[in-house]
Amino acid sequence: MATVGNQLPTQAVSKPTSGKHGNVLPLWGNEKTMNLNPMILTNVLSSPYFKVQLYELKTYHEVVDEIYFKVTHIEPWEKGSRKTAGQTGMCGGVRGVGTGGIVSTAFCLLYKLFTLKLTRKQLMGLITHTDSPYIRALGFMYIRYTQPPTDLFEWYDGFLDDEEELDVKAGGGCVMTIGEMLRSFLTKLEWFSTLFPRIPVPVQKVIDQQIKARPRKVPQKETQEDEDGFAESGRQGERRRSRTPRRTPSPRRSPKRSRSRSHHRERERHGPSFDRELERERDRQRKEREGRDRDRERGDRGDRERRRSRSADRNRERKRSRSGSRDRRSERKEKERDGGDDRSRRKDRDHHKDRGTERERSRDKKSRGETDDRRHKDDRERHRDERKAKRSSRSRSRERRHKSGAEEKSRKRERSHSRERDRERDGEQRSHKRSRSKERSHHQRESSNDHSRHRSSPSIE
């Protein structure tokens, strides 16, 4: 696992070859973001320069030519597009993940190189280029962002003492050599307002030991005049010389060196007047800057004149408004004097009219009150009649219910009496029948006894 800048840890891609052998470059970290800061990457992808102009560039040589003409620093943001003044500690602007600005052409072209998937040979061509130090700087930065940490020192080893100078800050003011820049790449994580991919601690220790074992080479003095000048300055001059030593031009690069293959191709395309076109392009850029400055000055002058004219117009309007208000006040006073009597008459008339209307209103109110009282009385009488009718109907229904209940009770009593009578009759009849049956049985018994007696008498005789 490898932690990349401010991003989450990502799995390192397996590299096909180790060291500086083979033409296919390994890729360390994220395959899509090139381990860039998310804010920088979003600004690169949304910038019109990357989407329109760099989209038309399809080859490695075209991108190198674009770097030669366009890149003037290798800071991630353009000058004045990102305000981080007054922010300290863990503020977003200090850590490089806060509000973005206008992303620089250097980082747009760096990501364009990443989209081309450079080979080892092309990358070596970048870092050994002789036309511009910014082409070399972008090559070294490409190595710092995409190559494994274990291979960084092998890439930078032959260039740690390179004395070619370049200004890395937007707007100028931070000149350093290629060797100093590479040492800062290896030993520091921060680069202006962004962060490089983190190097593991064991690898960082090894790199620090190798850098300490290889001290910087102090450049020789160019001329004896410089020695005399520094000798006169004394100790202060020695301190300054120790802090910022003067660098000699790189022996690898002569002032009258030839262009690269890409620029030879440009010469073939545009003819022998390629240098003249370059000068014209630079003059045109200077004129554009001067024109912008003039426009700004004219705009400032116009704003001042507008402010002055606006203030004069405001003063005139105030004076006019004051004079108009005075005239109006005088007219009002005259009208009040002339129309005082008319107003009093009107007030009397209005007062009489108000009295008449009040009387009419009072009459209307009285009549309305009487009608309302009458309605209320009628309603009360109706309610009383309705209540009486309801009470009488209730009493009648109660009487009917009472009468019907008494009749039912009498009927029930009669029924019960009739039933008792029937029961008594039935009992009498039953008793009468029983008595008759008893008499019959008694007679039968007596008759049977008499017959038996008559029969027994002759036998006895």
Side-chain angles (χ1 to χ4, degrees), residues 233-246:
S233 61
R235 295 181 181 178
Q236 295 179 357
E238 290 179 359
R239 291 177 182 174
R240 292 176 185 173
R241 197 163 57 249
S242 63
R243 290 178 184 174
T244 56
R246 293 174 63 96

Side-chain angles (χ1 to χ4, degrees), residues 120-368:
R120 192 176 299 275
K121 185 177 180 181
Q122 291 173 345
L123 189 54
M124 287 297 295
L126 283 178
I127 62 178
T128 58
H129 211 283
T130 58
D131 285 345
S132 174
Y134 296 105
I135 298 173
R136 301 180 64 197
L138 285 183
F140 289 122
M141 192 170 286
Y142 184 88
I143 292 170
R144 182 65 179 84
Y145 272 108
T146 61
Q147 295 306 297
T150 54
D151 298 341
L152 293 178
F153 191 81
E154 293 181 4
W155 280 103
Y156 293 162
D157 189 15
F159 306 96
L160 292 176
D161 298 325
D162 197 324
E163 296 298 329
E164 187 174 7
E165 294 182 348
L166 75 162
D167 196 346
V168 297
K169 188 175 181 181
C174 185
V175 179
M176 63 172 61
T177 62
I178 295 290
E180 290 176 350
M181 184 183 71
L182 296 182
R183 289 176 186 270
S184 68
F185 284 1
L186 291 173
T187 57
K188 294 180 182 179
L189 190 64
E190 297 85 4
W191 179 254
F192 289 97
S193 57
T194 187
L195 298 175
F196 285 127
R198 295 183 183 275
I199 300 173
V201 176
V203 179
Q204 187 66 55
K205 289 181 180 179
V206 174
I207 291 172
D208 293 339
Q209 290 176 0
Q210 290 174 347
I211 290 174
K212 288 179 181 179
R214 216 181 137 170
R216 298 181 184 179
K217 291 182 180 180
V218 179
Q220 297 179 358
K221 299 175 183 179
E222 294 180 352
T223 59
Q224 189 65 26
E225 295 178 357
D226 296 334
E227 292 180 359
D228 297 335
F230 284 112
E232 290 176 359
S233 61
R235 295 181 181 178
Q236 295 179 357
E238 290 179 359
R239 291 177 182 174
R240 292 176 185 173
R241 197 163 57 249
S242 63
R243 290 178 184 174
T244 56
R246 293 174 63 96
R247 279 102 183 174
T248 58
S250 175
R252 299 172 54 255
R253 181 178 177 182
S254 62
K256 296 181 179 180
R257 61 191 173 205
S258 61
R259 300 289 182 184
S260 64
R261 294 179 182 177
S262 61
H263 296 292
H264 284 299
R265 291 174 185 173
E266 290 292 334
R267 283 183 179 179
E268 291 175 359
R269 290 178 190 173
H270 300 287
S273 62
F274 185 70
D275 295 333
R276 294 179 184 176
E277 290 179 359
L278 267 176
E279 292 177 357
R280 289 176 185 175
E281 182 68 21
R282 290 173 182 173
D283 293 337
R284 188 181 63 79
Q285 291 178 359
R286 290 173 186 173
K287 289 178 181 180
E288 287 180 356
R289 291 174 185 173
E290 291 175 357
R292 289 174 185 172
D293 296 335
R294 290 174 185 174
D295 293 336
R296 289 177 183 175
E297 290 178 357
R298 290 175 184 175
D300 295 336
R301 292 176 184 175
D303 293 335
R304 291 174 185 174
E305 291 176 357
R306 288 173 187 172
R307 290 174 183 174
R308 291 175 183 175
S309 61
R310 286 176 183 174
S311 62
D313 293 335
R314 288 175 183 173
N315 293 329
R316 290 173 186 173
E317 289 177 358
R318 288 175 183 175
K319 289 178 180 179
R320 289 176 184 175
S321 62
R322 288 175 183 175
S323 61
S325 62
R326 290 174 184 173
D327 296 335
R328 289 172 187 172
R329 288 175 185 174
S330 61
E331 289 177 358
R332 286 176 184 175
K333 288 179 181 180
E334 291 177 356
K335 287 181 181 179
E336 287 177 356
R337 291 174 184 175
D338 296 335
D341 299 331
D342 296 333
R343 287 180 182 176
S344 61
R345 291 175 185 175
R346 288 175 185 174
K347 285 182 181 178
D348 294 333
R349 290 175 185 174
D350 295 333
H351 184 66
H352 290 296
K353 287 181 182 179
D354 293 335
R355 284 184 179 179
T357 53
E358 286 178 357
R359 289 175 184 176
E360 290 177 357
R361 288 176 184 174
S362 62
R363 290 176 184 175
D364 294 334
K365 286 181 181 179
K366 287 180 181 179
S367 61
R368 288 176 185 175

